[in-house]
Amino acid sequence: MCGIVGFTGSQQAAPILLDGLKKLEYRGYDSAGIAALCDSGIHMEKASGKIKNLDAKIDGGKALEGNCGIGHTRWATHGAPTDENAHPHLSNGGDFALVHNGIIENYAALREELIAKGVTFKSETDTEVVVQLLEQYYDGDLKAAVLKTVGRLEGAYALGILCAHEPGRVIAARQAAPLIVGVGVGENYFGSDVTAMVAHTKNFIYLEDGEIADLTPDKVTIYTDLGEEVEKPITRITWDVAAAEKGGYDHFMLKEIMEQPNAIKSTIEPRIQNGEIVLDDFHLTDEDLKQINKIMITACGSAFYAGSVGKYVIERLCRIPVEADLASELRYRDPLVDEHTLLVVVSQSGETADTIAAMKECKARGARILAIVNVVGSTIARLADDVIYTWAGPEIAVATTKGYTTQVAVMDMLAVYLARRLGRLDDAEYARLVDEIQQFPSLVQRAIDLNPNIQGLAKKYYNHNNIFFIGRNLDYAACMEGSLKLKEISYLHSEAYAAGELKHGTIALIEEDRPVIALACYEALFDKMMSNIKEVKARGAQVLAVVLEGNRQIFAEADDVIFIPKTEPMFNSLPEIIPLQLFAYYVARENGCDIDKPKNLAKSVTVE
Ligand code: M6R
């Protein structure tokens, strides 16, 4: 987690760095800090809490002189979120300032070694050892000091380095944490994410693990951890700064919910040509396909729930065993994976540490890796054999919405594509399913339009402490995502249960007035769901039901009803999550929560 930025040029650095940090605040918001270099040396300011505290302290950056500098927004791992533990960290002699995203695993041994040499530490962070090492190794050759320092580090890091003796120069180093160089004219940048730099440039260099970037206003030099210079391609991005701004909405989350029809359109439209699904980016030959006898899907959080939708749909259509496994579990469970396994990795950021580890584990066992990723050039995209990008555009709110629905849309499309190639779908059925997929953008728009009263429902339910979600089959997969949305932004306790499991224990928690959100969109199991709804009603629950448009039966049991538009039943997960996203949003709003930056969370979970 954490976000880092760096700048060198002829403008004042601190306002540019501050602006970049604001774009990265989704990565962590426990504290923030900036160090800038001017004629009198390194000047630094830090503040615990959100970036607005730092902003106030440095008058929007104007109070910090200097034309090059580094900045950091923190999601605390080692040490509480205090001013002392905030980055940048300074070396004892004041020669170096450093920002870091990641975890230095061998920091304790390095710290002892440095203390024995007389170094004193001011923070409890793992990071501070790095800046002290730099000062120890520096003898006038910055590159040599950086190489020696990174050679001592174990773990994950994206580093930003400023040296008091090297005006106009900033260094960035990457190992298992995202880091991108922004190439400008007479000024250059680095950052954890392109959103931090896109206001200034559209040209980027994606660093690989072990690479180091040496930036001056007119030059970017990339070298390996052995000090050898490497030529790197420059990637030009196509979206602009407006895509990463709120555009009149109160919150990024609401803006991103409303963007879903377009995000899904961008994801599926280019991939359906003359009635055929064309996945140019998935280079699976017929011979490869014959070799696959199992599909595994792995991911974390909402991406895992999108994968759970994929499990139901792919298995049903392709008749191949499909497992969906949390990446944090898969990586340690000695999985039965080999060259006959297709591993589908799902990630919005493409940087989630557990997902990357699970992917590497399966790759080492011979699996073929297909990644479904939103961020172009991210680690997961680069490690995979094939990539299907979800063209959702930048997602800023910590709680994913368009990231998730574009993943689900790709899962549905992938299921139909694979089933067709496996000969499981005749022409008519294939054409019907492709046509349904083409309707996804309007389906999702209708799911938004059908529910103007979600805010009213949120006002009714927001002050309950425990809310249950129940559903069966694909409705259950949507329950898990709906429940996660609610808990992560509104802080209400909420659980999702497969409705058939209720009587095996959970029903003990149902009591007078307990809200139960019952998803009963899957018509084949509607009667079963009605029985479950009756069971919880009999115990006093208030039921908010989500059903297909036109369903009248539900009024006999439910206290409140949300309708979703009809589609092919296998694709219900897409429209049914929309009202649940809106419900979570408005409940969080009623509760006065910081919707875009929920407490304790970060957008991109780059630590284990
Ligand atoms: O970037 P990823 O899709 O790999 O992230 C996975 C999870 O961390 C993410 O979905 C998380 O659960 C979100 N906060 C959900 O809104």
Side-chain angles (χ1 to χ4, degrees), residues 479-493:
C479 282
M480 294 192 282
E481 171 60 6
S483 170
L484 179 63
K485 281 289 86 74
L486 188 63
K487 71 185 110 181
E488 71 181 329
I489 60 167
S490 72
Y491 317 142
L492 297 189
H493 175 246

Side-chain angles (χ1 to χ4, degrees), residues 41 83 96 260 368 427 458 560 607:
D83 283 7
F96 284 88
Q260 291 178 106
R368 181 177 181 123
D427 290 353
D560 296 290
V607 294

Side-chain angles (χ1 to χ4, degrees), residues 179-363:
L179 195 53
I180 298 155
V181 173
V183 184
V185 179
E187 51 191 32
N188 290 306
Y189 312 79
F190 64 76
S192 302
D193 179 339
V194 294
T195 52
M197 303 170 272
V198 72
H200 310 284
T201 181
K202 290 192 171 178
N203 296 323
F204 295 97
I205 297 173
Y206 291 87
L207 297 183
E208 304 287 339
D209 283 351
E211 287 181 345
I212 294 160
D214 192 336
L215 276 59
T216 60
D218 299 312
K219 198 166 176 218
V220 173
T221 313
I222 314 287
Y223 46 91
T224 68
D225 48 6
L226 298 174
E228 289 152 1
E229 231 176 281
V230 275
E231 282 294 315
K232 299 281 293 183
I234 293 182
T235 305
R236 190 167 168 80
I237 59 149
T238 49
W239 51 271
D240 64 16
V241 69
E245 284 173 354
K246 281 190 202 153
Y249 287 94
D250 289 344
H251 298 96
F252 278 110
M253 183 177 176
L254 188 58
K255 176 188 174 229
E256 288 161 5
I257 289 173
M258 298 305 173
E259 282 174 349
Q260 291 178 106
N262 270 336
I264 292 169
K265 189 170 179 216
S266 308
T267 304
I268 60 171
E269 206 172 68
R271 293 175 170 131
I272 299 184
Q273 294 161 17
N274 304 319
E276 290 285 333
I277 298 174
V278 182
L279 298 181
D280 279 340
D281 19 24
F282 188 22
H283 309 100
L284 197 74
T285 63
D286 289 342
E287 204 40 52
D288 294 337
L289 195 54
K290 271 193 218 135
Q291 298 299 314
I292 304 293
N293 61 17
K294 177 162 90 171
I295 296 177
M296 291 194 54
I297 305 174
T298 197
C300 298
S302 295
F304 170 71
Y305 298 141
S308 305
V309 171
K311 172 188 159 57
Y312 281 103
V313 185
I314 298 172
E315 200 164 68
R316 189 168 313 161
L317 284 176
C318 299
R319 312 314 298 161
I320 287 183
V322 183
E323 284 177 38
D325 211 349
L326 290 164
S328 53
E329 290 295 316
L330 179 63
R331 63 183 293 188
Y332 293 121
R333 79 168 168 87
D334 193 8
L336 289 174
V337 169
D338 59 22
E339 64 279 12
H340 301 296
T341 309
L342 173 66
L343 182 79
V344 182
V345 178
V346 192
S347 176
Q348 187 285 128
S349 64
E351 299 295 349
T352 303
D354 281 322
T355 310
I356 294 170
M359 174 180 186
K360 286 182 176 166
E361 182 66 40
C362 294
K363 197 168 182 164

